[in-house]
Amino acid sequence: MKRSKVITNLLVVIAIVVVLNLIFYNLFFRLDFTADQRYTLSKATKNELADLQDVVTVSAYFSEDLPPRLKNVKDDFEDMLIEYERRAGDNLVYEFLNPNESEETEAEAQQKGIGPVMVQVQERDQASQMRAYMGVILSMGDQNEIIPLIRPGTNIEYSLTTAIKKLT
């Protein structure tokens, strides 16, 4: 009798976890405990994303294998795009492209106004430089806005929302 009660309780707990997972899958919220509320979108950004009438496509040209400090910029930018996409619904899509993987992608980035920057890379006991891309092109219809470089330590939200506002 005891064994069947344990199995029943286990099945109930698993069922509760599955149901909660299904409920919270569609609900998204983020708690931001940073002093400057770095990961909380401003009211102006939320309004701008809610008012989008057409699809904005964000093409982010970021190199792979960036040094850790620049990799954090890419990760923060990707997190920001996820938040923008959730707020804008179907009116914002994004893609990440690596210009270093092919000459065609690199030429396309440079033709559209995204140039490389030289960054210092430490590998083992050697220092070298690499051509890194960290730019964004926002498109809506036949209009484009370019953010040629996402700089570390800058307000990514401001740059992105300003570019979206210019498009609309």
Side-chain angles (χ1 to χ4, degrees):
M1 190 73 171
K2 210 174 195 182
R3 183 173 182 206
S4 65
K5 186 166 178 92
V6 169
I7 291 173
T8 304
N9 287 342
L10 183 62
L11 289 175
V12 168
V13 168
I14 290 173
I16 290 171
V17 169
V18 168
V19 168
L20 287 175
N21 193 22
L22 290 173
I23 290 170
F24 287 116
Y25 178 76
N26 292 323
L27 298 175
F28 177 79
F29 63 92
R30 178 184 295 179
L31 300 175
D32 186 0
F33 295 115
T34 58
D36 59 353
Q37 296 294 295
R38 180 178 311 160
Y39 302 108
T40 301
L41 294 181
S42 69
K43 190 173 215 75
T45 295
K46 291 177 186 176
N47 291 339
E48 191 65 37
L49 294 173
D51 291 343
L52 283 177
Q53 300 298 316
D54 202 2
V55 177
V56 174
T57 303
V58 180
S59 300
Y61 290 88
F62 276 85
S63 299
E64 295 293 323
D65 302 324
L66 291 169
R69 66 184 172 84
L70 298 178
K71 174 92 170 86
N72 289 341
V73 172
K74 179 185 178 188
D75 293 343
D76 288 346
F77 186 72
E78 188 169 7
D79 289 344
M80 182 77 59
L81 286 177
I82 291 169
E83 184 79 17
Y84 272 56
E85 182 182 51
R86 290 183 184 234
R87 293 285 179 173
D90 294 336
N91 287 331
L92 189 131
V93 294
Y94 67 90
E95 63 181 340
F96 274 83
L97 303 165
N98 179 8
N100 296 94
E101 73 182 0
S102 72
E103 290 180 15
E104 294 85 24
T105 311
E106 186 171 12
E108 177 185 321
Q110 290 180 1
Q111 179 185 9
K112 291 182 177 181
I114 309 268
V117 292
M118 299 304 287
V119 292
Q120 193 86 7
V121 179
Q122 276 300 112
E123 287 185 24
R124 298 186 185 113
D125 292 338
Q126 295 180 354
S128 62
Q129 290 189 334
M130 75 176 275
R131 292 167 47 107
Y133 289 85
M134 296 173 40
V136 181
I137 298 174
L138 294 94
S139 305
M140 177 188 267
D142 60 348
Q143 297 177 324
N144 292 323
E145 277 299 317
I146 300 168
I147 304 173
L149 180 63
I150 303 292
R151 297 180 190 278
T154 60
N155 189 340
I156 297 170
E157 179 186 358
Y158 177 77
S159 301
L160 199 52
T161 302
T162 301
I164 290 172
K165 188 155 183 73
K166 286 179 183 178
L167 284 175
T168 59

